[in-house]
Amino acid sequence: MIKHMIEDNCADNGIPLPNVTSKILSKVIEYCKKHVETPKLDERATFVDDELKAWDADFVKVDQATLFDLILAANYLNIKSLLDLTCQTVADMIKGKTPKEIRKTFNIKNDFTLEEEDEVCRENQWAFE
Amino acid sequence: MSNIIDHLLSEILIRLPNCRDVVQCKSVCKRWCSLISSPEFIRTFIHHRHQHRHWQSLVSDSHLSMLLFQRHRFENKITSMPNNFQFCQVFGDKRKNFRESFLNFLPWDVIIRASADDLLLVSKPCNFSDFYICNPVTRKWVALPQAPPSITKLFIRCGLVRLPYNCNKQEKCTNNAQYRYKVVVFGYYSSFCAFSNWPRATIFCSETTQWSKLVDFQLPHPLKSWTSIGVFAFGGLIQILTCNGILHWLESSELFCWEGIVAFDPFTDVVEKRCRFVALPFDIDPENEILSAFISMTSICLGNFQGRLRLCLKCEVGGRCGLKVWELREYDQTAETSWSLVHNVALEIRFPSMIFPLALHPSISNVVFLLCRNELIWYNMSEGKSEKLAKFPFNIEKPSARLSIFPLMHSSWHTPVPALPL
C-alpha cells in the first residue's frame, strides 16, 4: 500500500498513516526488518527457520489490544505474513475454549436470549461431542 | 475484539483447526453466529484448507473417516421385519463404537442404502420409494420426492453420487458445501428368470428434483445380463461403492463367479464414459491362486482410498493365505495396464478359510478390515499386525450376504443437508 503511494507520487511530504499509531508502526517495522533480514526460502516450502519461528512467537506475546491493533495494521498495510501470524495467534487463543470462556477472554457481550441460545446449542450439539 | 471488521474475524476463525471448533463458536454471540453460517464464510474456510498443504494432512487424518456396518435381512413385503436392522460404527482410529441409535435423529427406523463422502442415503425397510438423504454427524436430513413405486417388489440396490460445485475463488478448487447429487436405484424384479433381464433403473437428480422414467439398465459388454444365481443367493447385497463421483460394483453374468466391475457415471455427458466395464486384475483360474470361483465371491472387497478405487483379494495357495490390494489407475485400458498392485502380503493366520476381507481403510493405505468368525479385525498389512476391534453382536455366516458396509469420509467442512444455496 505504501508502495502504491510512493509510485503515485503522494509521498513527497511524508506518508500519512492515519490508522496506525506510532507505537504499532514501530512494532510493524520491527517485524518487517526481522523478516527481511532472514533469507527467504521458497514461499511454499514447509521448512521454516526455527529461530524465526521462536522470534515470531515472542513477538506476539503482547496484550490483547496491541494484538488486535497489529491485525488491523497488517490488514491496512497489506502485510500478509504478519496478518497470518497475528490471526493465527488469536485463533489459538480461541481454540479449546467454551463459548462462555471465549466471551470472557475477549469481552464479548452475549446478546442471545435464553431461547435463542438454547436453539443454537441444540442445533450445533454435534460439534460439541 | 469489537472493532474488528467481519473480514478480519473471518481471517481469524478460518484458522481454527477444524470445522467443529468453528461451529462451536456460533454460540458466542449473534454476530459470530450469522458470520459463521454465511455461505461466503464457509467458502472461504474450505478454500483456505485447499490452499494450505499442511491442512490437507488433517483431512486425511484417520479420525475423520468411519465405516458403518449394517446387518441385512432379506426384505420381503409379506414378512416384513422392521426392527432387525442393526448398525454398528467403527471409527477409523480403532475406536469402536456400537451404537444402534446412530440414526435415531430420523423419525423412523431406516435402512442405509448408500453412502457418498459424508452423506447417507436411507429409506424405510421394505419401502422402495421413500428415500432420504442425511448427514449423520450434523443430524440433518431431507426427504426426496417419491420414486416410481413400480420399480420392483423384490429387492433394490442404490447408489449416491455427490458433485460439489466449483469454488468461486479459484479454478479446480471445489466447494463441498454447495453441491448437486444424483440417486440411482436399480430394481431387480425377477429372480430365476431367463438370461435376458436387465435391472430397471431410475435416477433422481437434485437439480431437477425429479426421478427419471424407469428404464432397463443395460450392463456394459462383456456382461450379458445381471442374472446370476450366485448374486441372487447373496440376496443381491453386493455393495455399490461411490468413488470419485462414479458408482462401482462387482457384477457377474456367470454362476458364482465375478466377471468384473461396472463403473457408472451418472453425471457425465460423454456416452462412452457413462457405463464402463473394468476387468478384474486377476484371472479366475482354478489352477492358479483362486481355488474356486465361489470362494472368490466372498474373497473380494472394493474400497475407496482417497478418491481412488481399490480392490482387495484374499487368495489361497495350498494352505497359505495372502492378501493383495490393487489400485485402479485408468478406466479405459486392459486389465494389465489399468491396475497396479499396491500390497501383496502373506496372511499369517491359522484358519484362512475363516477370514474374509470386509473393507479397506479409506485413509490409511495399508490397513484392511477383516472378518474372522464374528470378529472385526484391524489388519496392518505392512507390519503383519492384527488387532481385534470388536465382536459383531449378531451371527455372520457369509459376510457379503449379511453385512453391508458404508464408508463415510469427512472433509474440511461438514456437508450441509440440504446444500447451501448457490
Side-chain angles (χ1 to χ4, degrees):
Chain A
M1 184 220 146
I2 296 185
K3 181 173 161 218
H4 288 147
M5 288 181 94
I6 295 176
E7 284 169 357
D8 292 341
N9 277 328
C10 308
D12 293 339
N13 295 328
I15 303 168
L17 292 173
N19 294 347
V20 187
T21 65
S22 55
K23 171 184 167 213
I24 297 297
L25 184 61
S26 67
K27 285 281 284 184
V28 173
I29 291 173
E30 192 191 334
Y31 176 87
C32 292
K33 272 177 92 172
K34 177 74 183 180
H35 279 249
V36 158
E37 281 161 10
T38 310
K40 214 165 167 217
L41 300 150
D42 177 54
E43 262 198 79
R44 271 177 280 166
T46 49
F47 168 75
V48 178
D49 188 14
D50 279 342
E51 201 221 300
L52 190 59
K53 259 182 122 174
W55 188 92
D56 279 349
D58 256 355
F59 180 79
V60 288
K61 285 191 181 138
V62 292
D63 61 271
Q64 231 187 78
T66 310
L67 187 58
F68 281 103
D69 280 339
L70 280 171
I71 293 181
L72 290 166
N75 183 48
Y76 182 65
L77 296 169
N78 205 6
I79 305 170
K80 192 175 177 306
S81 58
L82 180 60
L83 186 66
D84 211 13
L85 172 67
T86 46
C87 287
Q88 185 65 58
T89 308
V90 180
D92 292 341
M93 287 166 75
I94 293 176
K95 174 185 143 179
K97 291 195 164 78
T98 65
K100 200 166 170 196
E101 288 162 357
I102 295 173
R103 280 184 221 126
K104 185 150 185 262
T105 308
F106 297 105
N107 210 7
I108 301 173
K109 185 164 182 291
N110 179 3
D111 53 357
F112 283 123
T113 65
L114 271 175
E115 294 93 35
E116 287 168 345
E117 196 171 349
D118 264 344
E119 213 205 304
V120 175
C121 266
R122 234 180 313 123
E123 247 204 47
N124 302 309
Q125 185 57 39
W126 62 272
F128 289 91
E129 281 165 11
Chain B
M1 176 64 95
S2 44
N3 59 346
I4 275 245
I5 55 174
D6 276 358
H7 164 72
L8 291 178
L9 182 56
S10 272
E11 287 287 329
I12 294 170
L13 293 174
I14 63 177
R15 287 170 167 81
L16 283 169
N18 60 54
C19 70
R20 277 173 194 247
D21 294 325
V22 180
V23 172
Q24 284 184 16
C25 290
K26 279 193 184 181
S27 306
V28 171
C29 67
K30 284 188 183 174
R31 180 192 172 204
W32 283 37
C33 189
S34 70
L35 176 70
I36 294 168
S37 313
S38 69
E40 183 53 47
F41 172 80
I42 295 172
R43 238 180 283 144
T44 311
F45 183 91
I46 295 172
H47 188 74
H48 177 86
R49 289 288 179 289
H50 290 157
Q51 292 300 98
H52 294 82
R53 289 290 145 73
H54 76 280
W55 292 114
Q56 290 287 63
S57 61
L58 284 182
V59 174
S60 46
D61 201 323
S62 57
H63 77 266
L64 290 179
S65 63
M66 61 171 103
L67 287 173
L68 294 173
F69 297 88
Q70 179 180 261
R71 174 205 195 182
H72 191 98
R73 284 268 173 88
F74 207 177
E75 289 170 281
N76 191 324
K77 285 209 165 154
I78 301 164
T79 64
S80 73
M81 299 168 286
N83 294 321
N84 280 331
F85 298 94
Q86 295 167 301
F87 310 102
C88 29
Q89 133 202 0
V90 177
F91 288 103
D93 64 350
K94 301 186 193 177
R95 271 184 296 144
K96 61 183 190 295
N97 193 334
F98 287 108
R99 267 205 288 177
E100 284 171 31
S101 57
F102 185 59
L103 292 180
N104 66 353
F105 57 92
L106 291 162
W108 329 265
D109 277 337
V110 291
I111 309 178
I112 304 179
R113 298 285 185 191
S115 72
D117 302 318
D118 56 348
L119 297 177
L120 289 179
L121 175 76
V122 301
S123 74
K124 298 183 199 168
C126 304
N127 179 317
F128 301 144
S129 43
D130 292 321
F131 292 95
Y132 308 89
I133 304 258
C134 70
N135 181 330
V137 171
T138 61
R139 306 198 187 121
K140 296 276 189 312
W141 57 276
V142 284
L144 265 47
Q146 258 211 349
S150 54
I151 186 159
T152 183
K153 284 195 167 42
L154 204 64
F155 63 89
I156 57 171
R157 277 201 243 165
C158 304
L160 172 66
V161 181
R162 186 274 289 263
L163 266 196
Y165 282 113
N166 278 325
C167 169
N168 63 355
K169 294 183 199 281
Q170 196 182 324
E171 234 188 279
K172 290 204 181 162
C173 183
T174 55
N175 168 16
N176 78 311
Q178 288 165 321
Y179 59 91
R180 53 204 198 279
Y181 61 89
K182 289 198 177 185
V183 173
V184 184
V185 179
F186 296 101
Y188 295 79
Y189 54 94
S190 47
S191 51
F192 297 96
C193 207
F195 294 114
S196 57
N197 282 323
W198 305 112
R200 282 153 88 192
T202 173
I203 302 179
F204 175 82
C205 176
S206 65
E207 286 167 304
T208 60
T209 63
Q210 281 185 336
W211 291 91
S212 68
K213 263 172 48 182
L214 277 177
V215 290
D216 279 347
F217 185 85
Q218 266 202 320
L219 295 171
H221 181 81
L223 295 164
K224 294 185 278 288
S225 74
W226 77 274
T227 52
S228 149
I229 309 287
V231 174
F232 179 72
F234 286 108
L237 272 177
I238 313 306
Q239 270 343 103
I240 295 190
L241 181 85
T242 308
C243 179
N244 232 4
I246 300 177
L247 298 174
H248 303 83
W249 67 94
L250 289 161
E251 196 59 82
S252 67
S253 41
E254 308 289 330
L255 277 177
F256 298 120
C257 174
W258 292 129
E259 211 168 312
I261 297 172
V262 179
F264 176 55
D265 183 349
F267 273 105
T268 188
D269 293 321
V270 180
V271 175
E272 293 84 29
K273 292 200 169 155
R274 204 158 161 87
C275 192
R276 289 177 285 192
F277 177 79
V278 180
L280 294 174
F282 51 85
D283 284 321
I284 310 276
D285 183 330
E287 312 291 343
N288 214 331
E289 295 171 356
I290 325 289
L291 283 185
S292 91
F294 179 73
I295 292 179
S296 81
M297 288 206 117
T298 51
S299 303
I300 302 181
C301 71
L302 295 180
N304 176 352
F305 178 73
Q306 294 182 347
R308 299 189 295 276
L309 183 72
R310 284 195 170 184
L311 183 148
C312 176
L313 172 75
K314 177 197 88 171
C315 44
E316 296 180 55
V317 184
R320 301 194 53 209
C321 196
L323 283 178
K324 290 189 178 182
V325 179
W326 287 266
E327 187 170 287
L328 187 69
R329 307 282 182 191
E330 294 280 348
Y331 281 94
D332 298 309
Q333 318 269 49
T334 59
E336 286 81 36
T337 48
S338 48
W339 295 94
S340 66
L341 187 64
V342 290
H343 291 288
N344 186 355
V345 297
L347 250 186
E348 306 293 338
I349 296 207
R350 227 189 284 167
F351 305 108
S353 54
M354 307 294 284
I355 302 281
F356 300 101
L358 281 184
L360 292 166
H361 195 290
S363 43
I364 305 179
S365 177
N366 53 15
V367 171
V368 61
F369 292 95
L370 303 174
L371 179 75
C372 180
R373 299 201 179 101
N374 252 20
E375 286 168 340
L376 181 67
I377 296 178
W378 164 294
Y379 189 74
N380 183 323
M381 289 183 279
S382 327
E383 296 170 16
K385 291 212 187 110
S386 65
E387 189 183 319
K388 283 190 193 150
L389 282 187
K391 203 167 177 136
F392 282 105
F394 36 80
N395 227 349
I396 304 174
E397 299 117 26
K398 292 172 284 186
S400 39
R402 298 289 170 254
L403 271 188
S404 311
I405 294 148
F406 302 97
L408 283 177
M409 282 295 297
H410 304 300
S411 55
S412 41
W413 190 267
H414 53 278
T415 303
V417 175
L420 288 180
L422 285 172

